[in-house]
Amino acid sequence: MAIVHEWLVNIAGSERVVAELLGMFPGADLHAVVDHLDFEDRAVMGNRHARTTFIQKMPFSRRLYRHYLPLMPLAIEQLDMSAYDVVISSSHAVAKGVITGPGQMHVCYCHTPMRYVWDLHHQYRQGPLTRVLMHYFRLWDQRTGNGVDHFVANSRYIAGRIQKVYGRSSVVIHPPVDVEAFAEGSERRDHYVCLSRLVPYKRVDLVVEAFRSLPDRKLVVVGDGPELAVIRRKAAANIEIMGYQPRTRVVELVAGARAFVMATEEDFGIAPVEAQASGTPVIAFGRGGVLDSVIDGETGVLFAEQSVSSLVSAVQRFEGLEKRLSAERCSQNASRFSRATFRDQMGRFLDERWTDFRRNGPPKRA
């Protein structure tokens, strides 16, 4: 078995899927375009090192690996998969583009089709060369979808995007969340918390603007990123911008909050599950993967528009329901997304598909 990922430079949600797969299949070989994990993050991967591509040796690939995106389709196709019976690609960009033969089963765990190619390309400033490159990427992305025998989506939302982009059905298996690390029971305080990377599409600016109009509510923003200075300039006296915080402090802040607040459209969204695991309800924009993880009126409140007025109304609705949103119900809901559940569902899925593959060969598609 081979497990293929895009790039290993830090540990986020997609890397935790890879780590769980490596735990399930310790004999599998790990492949990636580049592998620059530090010592601490590599421990999450069981101290495994990936077999990499020529981009690993390109200048400044540790820091500027994203700049080599135009070369990544070529690089991923150079990875030799010929020795494997089963290839699992963990893909949000190019990993699913590995080349496999008719006697090999290729399962793609799709975190999302390439967002900057399909969904967000009009939001980036593009010159003529970039527009041509994005067109090339869309053609390549669709073509390589044909080389996947089975798609697994991380949410119903992504299953819909897989159908839209690749014309393929998929099975939804939610990613593993370390719910045990966010044990509920901490003392509640009076703050709301927003935990996010500070980049434009996360819409932390919208959360800050909403709480500026709610001066008697306290908001704590945790996270770092290129928008940090912008967010700090927008903050008011009732809003604390904490920047990066260690994991233990994050757990404490989330577990002690009245509610976890997010205004972005996530592919799945691990943070709102972690919040519920700690017994903290969620106030979230009601699109994307959060529709799988938050039960409106039971474990949180969903709002319909990415606007200040819609979020303010959601906070007010939450406060009217707050006594009914129990910590026990939140943590019970979060338990559906545990690491053990992921291993059970993914293991059974792979066993069934491999048994069928050996008996009947590659699946027939219309």
Side-chain angles (χ1 to χ4, degrees):
M1 179 181 289
I3 297 171
V4 185
H5 191 54
E6 265 94 22
W7 43 78
L8 294 167
V9 293
N10 53 36
I11 299 297
S14 61
E15 286 75 27
R16 293 190 184 279
V17 169
V18 174
E20 212 62 43
L21 290 170
L22 289 171
M24 294 170 64
F25 306 106
D29 290 334
L30 178 61
H31 299 258
V33 173
V34 296
D35 180 356
H36 291 302
L37 289 176
D38 61 26
F39 179 80
E40 184 177 345
D41 284 344
R42 194 170 302 282
V44 177
M45 292 288 177
N47 297 313
R48 298 287 297 276
H49 289 260
R51 302 179 185 184
T52 57
T53 70
F54 63 85
I55 294 178
Q56 178 81 10
K57 297 181 180 179
M58 299 287 279
F60 310 109
S61 69
R62 176 186 295 271
R63 185 166 51 90
L64 301 178
Y65 63 95
R66 291 180 186 272
H67 288 66
Y68 292 111
L69 185 64
L71 295 176
M72 287 188 185
L74 173 64
I76 206 75
E77 290 176 353
Q78 304 310 304
L79 289 175
D80 184 2
M81 298 287 109
S82 61
Y84 304 107
D85 297 308
V86 178
V87 175
I88 303 175
S89 57
S90 164
S91 188
H92 55 75
V94 300
K96 75 171 190 358
V98 290
I99 296 174
T100 56
Q104 299 171 287
M105 186 177 77
H106 179 183
V107 174
C108 174
Y109 188 95
C110 186
H111 307 280
T112 178
M114 282 192 279
R115 274 197 167 276
Y116 34 87
V117 168
W118 294 103
D119 294 62
L120 302 177
H121 67 287
H122 289 302
Q123 299 181 25
Y124 291 91
R125 187 176 300 168
Q126 296 182 355
L129 182 60
T130 303
R131 287 195 290 270
V132 170
L133 180 63
M134 291 300 101
H135 175 69
Y136 155 72
F137 261 108
R138 284 189 286 274
L139 294 176
W140 181 85
D141 194 36
Q142 283 192 317
R143 178 185 64 76
T144 55
N146 293 326
V148 176
D149 295 303
H150 301 286
F151 276 99
V152 178
N154 68 357
S155 67
R156 290 178 295 163
Y157 172 60
I158 293 303
R161 295 192 64 236
I162 290 169
Q163 182 65 52
K164 179 77 172 180
V165 172
Y166 306 129
R168 299 284 301 281
S169 61
S170 57
V171 171
V172 175
I173 298 177
H174 298 112
V177 181
D178 189 8
V179 294
E180 291 81 8
F182 284 77
E184 62 97 0
S186 296
E187 180 185 353
R188 296 287 164 203
R189 296 181 175 86
D190 64 347
H191 69 274
Y192 292 81
V193 66
C194 176
L195 169 65
S196 175
R197 286 186 297 119
L198 301 183
V199 293
Y201 82 91
K202 292 289 188 178
R203 298 309 314 270
V204 177
D205 61 323
L206 175 59
V207 178
V208 169
E209 288 172 18
F211 276 83
R212 281 176 60 118
S213 66
L214 296 167
D216 55 339
R217 279 83 159 183
K218 181 179 179 180
L219 173 69
V220 174
V221 177
V222 180
D224 200 356
E227 293 285 293
L228 179 59
V230 175
I231 297 299
R232 279 190 166 141
R233 284 196 297 270
K234 290 186 176 184
N238 63 316
I239 301 170
E240 182 179 4
I241 311 299
M242 297 188 70
Y244 169 81
Q245 296 295 312
R247 180 77 165 173
T248 53
R249 181 62 173 144
V250 168
V251 172
E252 179 183 317
L253 288 165
V254 172
R258 290 179 71 177
F260 178 94
V261 186
M262 57 179 280
T264 187
E265 180 180 313
E266 292 283 9
D267 299 325
F268 172 68
I270 286 177
V273 176
E274 292 175 334
Q276 291 174 87
S278 71
T280 301
V282 174
I283 301 172
F285 177 48
R287 288 186 59 183
V290 75
L291 294 175
D292 287 12
S293 63
V294 177
I295 305 172
D296 189 44
E298 291 188 31
T299 69
V301 168
L302 303 179
F303 57 96
E305 298 177 357
Q306 283 180 312
S307 67
V308 169
S309 61
S310 188
L311 177 49
V312 168
S313 295
V315 172
Q316 294 167 341
R317 180 179 170 229
F318 161 76
E319 291 178 350
L321 294 171
E322 189 169 6
K323 292 182 180 178
R324 293 167 46 190
L325 305 179
S326 71
E328 292 76 16
R329 182 69 181 102
C330 289
S331 59
Q332 179 188 46
N333 183 53
S335 67
R336 299 186 291 127
F337 307 98
S338 68
R339 295 169 59 194
T341 299
F342 173 84
R343 288 196 177 205
D344 177 64
Q345 293 180 348
M346 196 69 184
R348 284 190 286 111
F349 174 84
L350 291 169
D351 283 345
E352 291 169 4
R353 296 306 185 273
W354 177 236
T355 298
D356 184 66
F357 189 91
R358 285 188 299 174
R359 182 181 298 123
N360 301 312
K364 308 298 187 296
R365 299 201 294 267

Tab-separated table of all heavy atoms in Angstrom, residues 238-272:
chain	number	residue	atom	x	y	z
A	238	ASN	N	-13.807	45.716	23.495
A	238	ASN	CA	-14.366	44.436	23.956
A	238	ASN	C	-13.806	43.236	23.205
A	238	ASN	O	-14.272	42.114	23.397
A	238	ASN	CB	-15.893	44.450	23.810
A	238	ASN	CG	-16.333	44.590	22.359
A	238	ASN	OD1	-15.775	45.408	21.621
A	238	ASN	ND2	-17.314	43.816	21.954
A	239	ILE	N	-12.805	43.467	22.347
A	239	ILE	CA	-12.263	42.403	21.494
A	239	ILE	C	-10.766	42.257	21.772
A	239	ILE	O	-9.998	43.210	21.620
A	239	ILE	CB	-12.497	42.714	20.004
A	239	ILE	CG1	-13.994	42.859	19.735
A	239	ILE	CG2	-11.895	41.615	19.131
A	239	ILE	CD1	-14.320	43.404	18.348
A	240	GLU	N	-10.363	41.071	22.165
A	240	GLU	CA	-8.946	40.783	22.444
A	240	GLU	C	-8.376	39.919	21.333
A	240	GLU	O	-8.886	38.820	21.066
A	240	GLU	CB	-8.796	40.067	23.783
A	240	GLU	CG	-7.347	39.784	24.156
A	240	GLU	CD	-7.195	39.100	25.499
A	240	GLU	OE1	-8.237	38.776	26.126
A	240	GLU	OE2	-6.046	38.869	25.916
A	241	ILE	N	-7.343	40.412	20.670
A	241	ILE	CA	-6.672	39.665	19.596
A	241	ILE	C	-5.419	39.047	20.196
A	241	ILE	O	-4.424	39.733	20.470
A	241	ILE	CB	-6.310	40.579	18.406
A	241	ILE	CG1	-7.504	41.432	17.985
A	241	ILE	CG2	-5.791	39.735	17.249
A	241	ILE	CD1	-8.704	40.649	17.521
A	242	MET	N	-5.433	37.744	20.391
A	242	MET	CA	-4.359	37.076	21.130
A	242	MET	C	-3.242	36.546	20.232
A	242	MET	O	-2.169	36.207	20.718
A	242	MET	CB	-4.929	35.921	21.954
A	242	MET	CG	-5.920	36.363	23.022
A	242	MET	SD	-6.415	35.020	24.123
A	242	MET	CE	-4.893	34.744	25.040
A	243	GLY	N	-3.483	36.455	18.916
A	243	GLY	CA	-2.478	35.873	18.045
A	243	GLY	C	-2.319	34.380	18.295
A	243	GLY	O	-3.219	33.716	18.829
A	244	TYR	N	-1.147	33.868	17.929
A	244	TYR	CA	-0.882	32.438	18.129
A	244	TYR	C	-0.864	32.097	19.610
A	244	TYR	O	-0.326	32.846	20.436
A	244	TYR	CB	0.449	32.048	17.495
A	244	TYR	CG	0.898	30.658	17.902
A	244	TYR	CD1	0.383	29.532	17.270
A	244	TYR	CD2	1.805	30.487	18.956
A	244	TYR	CE1	0.776	28.256	17.667
A	244	TYR	CE2	2.203	29.216	19.356
A	244	TYR	CZ	1.674	28.103	18.704
A	244	TYR	OH	2.051	26.848	19.103
A	245	GLN	N	-1.454	30.941	19.957
A	245	GLN	CA	-1.422	30.427	21.326
A	245	GLN	C	-1.088	28.933	21.282
A	245	GLN	O	-1.489	28.229	20.350
A	245	GLN	CB	-2.776	30.617	22.024
A	245	GLN	CG	-3.173	32.074	22.211
A	245	GLN	CD	-2.244	32.818	23.140
A	245	GLN	OE1	-1.924	32.330	24.223
A	245	GLN	NE2	-1.794	33.999	22.713
A	246	PRO	N	-0.365	28.432	22.279
A	246	PRO	CA	-0.065	26.993	22.309
A	246	PRO	C	-1.340	26.179	22.474
A	246	PRO	O	-2.377	26.678	22.938
A	246	PRO	CB	0.857	26.853	23.523
A	246	PRO	CG	0.607	28.052	24.352
A	246	PRO	CD	0.233	29.153	23.404
A	247	ARG	N	-1.239	24.922	22.115
A	247	ARG	CA	-2.415	24.040	22.091
A	247	ARG	C	-3.125	23.989	23.447
A	247	ARG	O	-4.351	24.033	23.507
A	247	ARG	CB	-1.958	22.632	21.682
A	247	ARG	CG	-3.048	21.580	21.599
A	247	ARG	CD	-3.865	21.712	20.351
A	247	ARG	NE	-4.668	20.516	20.100
A	247	ARG	CZ	-5.565	20.437	19.132
A	247	ARG	NH1	-5.768	21.458	18.330
A	247	ARG	NH2	-6.249	19.327	18.951
A	248	THR	N	-2.372	23.915	24.525
A	248	THR	CA	-2.999	23.824	25.844
A	248	THR	C	-3.824	25.064	26.159
A	248	THR	O	-4.905	24.979	26.750
A	248	THR	CB	-1.934	23.632	26.940
A	248	THR	OG1	-0.938	24.666	26.813
A	248	THR	CG2	-1.259	22.280	26.801
A	249	ARG	N	-3.342	26.222	25.756
A	249	ARG	CA	-4.076	27.472	25.986
A	249	ARG	C	-5.313	27.533	25.094
A	249	ARG	O	-6.376	28.011	25.526
A	249	ARG	CB	-3.159	28.662	25.711
A	249	ARG	CG	-3.799	30.024	25.939
A	249	ARG	CD	-4.210	30.220	27.373
A	249	ARG	NE	-4.676	31.576	27.612
A	249	ARG	CZ	-5.670	31.898	28.430
A	249	ARG	NH1	-6.295	30.949	29.122
A	249	ARG	NH2	-6.029	33.159	28.597
A	250	VAL	N	-5.194	27.042	23.864
A	250	VAL	CA	-6.352	27.004	22.968
A	250	VAL	C	-7.464	26.161	23.571
A	250	VAL	O	-8.637	26.562	23.587
A	250	VAL	CB	-5.942	26.456	21.580
A	250	VAL	CG1	-7.182	26.143	20.735
A	250	VAL	CG2	-5.052	27.454	20.853
A	251	VAL	N	-7.112	24.987	24.068
A	251	VAL	CA	-8.104	24.097	24.684
A	251	VAL	C	-8.799	24.811	25.837
A	251	VAL	O	-10.036	24.756	25.971
A	251	VAL	CB	-7.439	22.789	25.174
A	251	VAL	CG1	-8.423	21.964	25.989
A	251	VAL	CG2	-6.921	21.983	23.983
A	252	GLU	N	-8.034	25.512	26.643
A	252	GLU	CA	-8.587	26.225	27.804
A	252	GLU	C	-9.544	27.338	27.370
A	252	GLU	O	-10.642	27.498	27.936
A	252	GLU	CB	-7.439	26.810	28.616
A	252	GLU	CG	-7.861	27.594	29.843
A	252	GLU	CD	-6.659	28.197	30.549
A	252	GLU	OE1	-5.640	27.493	30.699
A	252	GLU	OE2	-6.729	29.388	30.932
A	253	LEU	N	-9.146	28.103	26.360
A	253	LEU	CA	-9.977	29.215	25.899
A	253	LEU	C	-11.272	28.736	25.264
A	253	LEU	O	-12.342	29.323	25.476
A	253	LEU	CB	-9.186	30.070	24.907
A	253	LEU	CG	-8.068	30.926	25.491
A	253	LEU	CD1	-7.151	31.434	24.392
A	253	LEU	CD2	-8.653	32.094	26.284
A	254	VAL	N	-11.180	27.676	24.469
A	254	VAL	CA	-12.373	27.145	23.811
A	254	VAL	C	-13.313	26.518	24.835
A	254	VAL	O	-14.530	26.737	24.807
A	254	VAL	CB	-11.982	26.124	22.720
A	254	VAL	CG1	-13.213	25.411	22.172
A	254	VAL	CG2	-11.236	26.826	21.584
A	255	ALA	N	-12.757	25.735	25.745
A	255	ALA	CA	-13.588	25.042	26.735
A	255	ALA	C	-14.269	26.010	27.693
A	255	ALA	O	-15.341	25.713	28.237
A	255	ALA	CB	-12.746	24.042	27.517
A	256	GLY	N	-13.677	27.180	27.895
A	256	GLY	CA	-14.244	28.136	28.824
A	256	GLY	C	-15.157	29.169	28.194
A	256	GLY	O	-15.696	30.030	28.893
A	257	ALA	N	-15.353	29.093	26.881
A	257	ALA	CA	-16.126	30.122	26.184
A	257	ALA	C	-17.632	29.874	26.272
A	257	ALA	O	-18.079	28.735	26.441
A	257	ALA	CB	-15.707	30.176	24.717
A	258	ARG	N	-18.396	30.957	26.146
A	258	ARG	CA	-19.852	30.813	26.031
A	258	ARG	C	-20.196	30.109	24.719
A	258	ARG	O	-21.077	29.254	24.663
A	258	ARG	CB	-20.530	32.185	26.054
A	258	ARG	CG	-20.497	32.891	27.373
A	258	ARG	CD	-21.174	34.246	27.298
A	258	ARG	NE	-22.640	34.138	27.153
A	258	ARG	CZ	-23.455	35.181	27.123
A	258	ARG	NH1	-22.960	36.414	27.204
A	258	ARG	NH2	-24.759	34.999	26.998
A	259	ALA	N	-19.492	30.509	23.637
A	259	ALA	CA	-19.732	29.899	22.322
A	259	ALA	C	-18.514	30.098	21.439
A	259	ALA	O	-17.723	31.032	21.638
A	259	ALA	CB	-20.964	30.491	21.649
A	260	PHE	N	-18.356	29.208	20.496
A	260	PHE	CA	-17.316	29.287	19.462
A	260	PHE	C	-17.956	29.938	18.232
A	260	PHE	O	-19.029	29.520	17.801
A	260	PHE	CB	-16.826	27.879	19.141
A	260	PHE	CG	-15.785	27.798	18.062
A	260	PHE	CD1	-14.444	27.780	18.397
A	260	PHE	CD2	-16.143	27.732	16.723
A	260	PHE	CE1	-13.469	27.697	17.414
A	260	PHE	CE2	-15.182	27.648	15.738
A	260	PHE	CZ	-13.840	27.634	16.081
A	261	VAL	N	-17.304	30.940	17.648
A	261	VAL	CA	-17.893	31.707	16.555
A	261	VAL	C	-17.041	31.576	15.301
A	261	VAL	O	-15.819	31.736	15.348
A	261	VAL	CB	-18.029	33.197	16.928
A	261	VAL	CG1	-18.784	33.952	15.830
A	261	VAL	CG2	-18.741	33.358	18.267
A	262	MET	N	-17.674	31.292	14.163
A	262	MET	CA	-16.967	31.241	12.884
A	262	MET	C	-17.889	31.731	11.781
A	262	MET	O	-19.104	31.486	11.798
A	262	MET	CB	-16.457	29.834	12.567
A	262	MET	CG	-17.510	28.749	12.548
A	262	MET	SD	-16.846	27.111	12.150
A	262	MET	CE	-16.729	27.230	10.359
A	263	ALA	N	-17.304	32.433	10.801
A	263	ALA	CA	-18.101	33.016	9.726
A	263	ALA	C	-17.667	32.552	8.353
A	263	ALA	O	-18.132	33.085	7.342
A	263	ALA	CB	-18.025	34.547	9.801
A	264	THR	N	-16.794	31.551	8.299
A	264	THR	CA	-16.303	31.067	7.017
A	264	THR	C	-17.078	29.845	6.548
A	264	THR	O	-17.809	29.232	7.323
A	264	THR	CB	-14.804	30.712	7.116
A	264	THR	OG1	-14.302	30.399	5.814
A	264	THR	CG2	-14.589	29.502	8.027
A	265	GLU	N	-16.924	29.531	5.281
A	265	GLU	CA	-17.505	28.315	4.698
A	265	GLU	C	-16.403	27.263	4.638
A	265	GLU	O	-15.510	27.342	3.797
A	265	GLU	CB	-18.051	28.618	3.305
A	265	GLU	CG	-18.684	27.447	2.598
A	265	GLU	CD	-19.203	27.828	1.216
A	265	GLU	OE1	-19.872	28.867	1.096
A	265	GLU	OE2	-18.916	27.087	0.254
A	266	GLU	N	-16.454	26.296	5.531
A	266	GLU	CA	-15.405	25.283	5.639
A	266	GLU	C	-15.762	24.043	4.825
A	266	GLU	O	-16.936	23.686	4.680
A	266	GLU	CB	-15.213	24.869	7.098
A	266	GLU	CG	-14.619	25.955	7.981
A	266	GLU	CD	-13.128	26.133	7.783
A	266	GLU	OE1	-12.565	25.529	6.841
A	266	GLU	OE2	-12.518	26.875	8.567
A	267	ASP	N	-14.708	23.373	4.333
A	267	ASP	CA	-14.927	22.094	3.646
A	267	ASP	C	-15.481	21.062	4.617
A	267	ASP	O	-16.410	20.330	4.304
A	267	ASP	CB	-13.615	21.604	3.036
A	267	ASP	CG	-13.068	22.577	2.012
A	267	ASP	OD1	-13.876	23.207	1.311
A	267	ASP	OD2	-11.837	22.723	1.924
A	268	PHE	N	-14.887	20.973	5.791
A	268	PHE	CA	-15.443	20.196	6.894
A	268	PHE	C	-15.447	21.054	8.153
A	268	PHE	O	-16.488	21.419	8.662
A	268	PHE	CB	-14.665	18.894	7.132
A	268	PHE	CG	-15.114	18.187	8.395
A	268	PHE	CD1	-16.383	17.621	8.469
A	268	PHE	CD2	-14.284	18.122	9.517
A	268	PHE	CE1	-16.822	17.003	9.644
A	268	PHE	CE2	-14.715	17.506	10.683
A	268	PHE	CZ	-15.989	16.947	10.743
A	269	GLY	N	-14.261	21.389	8.660
A	269	GLY	CA	-14.180	22.237	9.839
A	269	GLY	C	-13.962	21.436	11.104
A	269	GLY	O	-14.926	21.000	11.737
A	270	ILE	N	-12.694	21.229	11.458
A	270	ILE	CA	-12.373	20.468	12.663
A	270	ILE	C	-12.606	21.301	13.923
A	270	ILE	O	-13.072	20.794	14.948
A	270	ILE	CB	-10.931	19.951	12.584
A	270	ILE	CG1	-10.858	18.789	11.575
A	270	ILE	CG2	-10.420	19.497	13.946
A	270	ILE	CD1	-9.483	18.237	11.354
A	271	ALA	N	-12.315	22.601	13.864
A	271	ALA	CA	-12.419	23.439	15.062
A	271	ALA	C	-13.813	23.443	15.689
A	271	ALA	O	-13.921	23.342	16.914
A	271	ALA	CB	-11.963	24.862	14.732
A	272	PRO	N	-14.909	23.540	14.926
A	272	PRO	CA	-16.225	23.497	15.582
A	272	PRO	C	-16.537	22.152	16.229
A	272	PRO	O	-17.273	22.093	17.214
A	272	PRO	CB	-17.209	23.811	14.449
A	272	PRO	CG	-16.455	23.628	13.190
A	272	PRO	CD	-15.025	23.908	13.509
